[in-house]
Amino acid sequence: MNHIKRVIFFFLVSTFFALSTKAQNFTSAGEYMTYMGELNRKITEDYMSYTSAVAHGKSARKVENRRKEIIQSTKDAIKKISAMPPFKGDKALRDSAVSYLKLTQHVLNDDYAKILNMEEIAEQSYDAMEAYLLAQELANEKMNDAGRKLYATEKEFASKNNVNLVESKDELTTKVEKAQRVNAYQRKVYLIFFKSYKQEAYLLDALQNKNVNGIEQNKNSLQKYAEQGIATLDTMKAFSNDRTIVNACKQMLEFYKTESKDKISNLTSFYIKEENYLKIKKAFETKKESARTQADVDQYNKAVNEFNQSVNEFNATNNSLNETRNKLIANYNKAVDTFLDKHTPKYK
């Protein structure tokens, strides 16, 4: 079941973009820094374009092309910055920038590939999904750590060379930071949703196999996870006054809670009645017709009527659950798509 649109974001903003410099001429320290910043900005532009394409439902081909553009921009920047001479014998800023960009390239190639491989198995269990999302966060944090180190080197370089750094956030930087916040918020809600979603899958599997003990165990776990998830959602703040995905997730969890608490017992009782009916049927059919008493006939007819009634009740309950479940999942999907489309900044 394709129940959600998940997005992989990497935080690729270095401090170069958030700084403006006052440069005197082409050979000044400010110009030296600005040249690096312009190369690095191209990477961020490609990154934001990629993020926008994913969030706003562009084709898979277009999304992949945008990712390749980020990789190419990174390669170009590494090549050009590596070729820069040290500034008055000081190569610290150049080498720090190259290290940052090489890490960016590593994340885009190796970490990205690992995350994609994890995505294939992520839905097999809650732990796998949690690890998959954690890998994304770790990739983000790896880039953030590298960015902080580069920022420290940049400040030191500017101080040594009397460059006045004016810290500011331009439109591109603001968009990238918002995209990261959007994705982090959506991931948190998704993980709450997935825990109950996956637990219900175990429950439905036990129902399919008529495993009464398994049904009971998974039913109790589903009720617990749904209640825990609802409690967590109730404490979450709205994202820019928007609670649509929180509300859609909560509706889904309310369904799981009701299903596990009130509805599953109706399905379980059917299997018990079916087992009882089959025993009576077998005993009745084993007896020769001449040996059957009126009590045998009455017992058998009663069992048939009760079984037929339980079949109708089972089908009605099951159909109602399926219909409601599909409706709520579709509503949740729509809420997520709308949320991402609304809050993820658009970029060319």
Side-chain angles (χ1 to χ4, degrees), residues 157-169:
F157 178 88
S159 178
K160 284 182 180 178
N161 294 282
N162 297 316
V163 176
N164 181 27
L165 297 180
V166 182
E167 299 195 28
S168 63
K169 290 184 180 180

Side-chain angles (χ1 to χ4, degrees), residues 14 24 58 66-67 69 71 80 87 90 117 155 158 167 178 197 205 230 255 276 304 318 321:
S14 86
Q24 295 297 319
K58 301 297 183 182
R66 297 287 171 80
R67 189 180 76 87
E69 288 172 2
I71 295 174
K80 291 177 180 179
F87 185 79
D90 184 356
N117 290 335
K155 286 184 69 176
E167 299 195 28
K178 184 177 181 182
Y197 171 88
D205 186 62
I230 291 168
F255 164 79
N276 182 58
V304 170
N318 199 41
L321 288 173

Side-chain angles (χ1 to χ4, degrees), residues 18 44 47-48 52 59 70 86 106-107 115 182 215 252 278 285:
T44 304
Y47 161 74
M48 193 60 229
S52 180
S59 68
I70 304 173
H106 174 76
V107 169
I115 290 171
V182 169
I215 293 170
M252 196 74 243
L278 292 175
E285 292 178 345

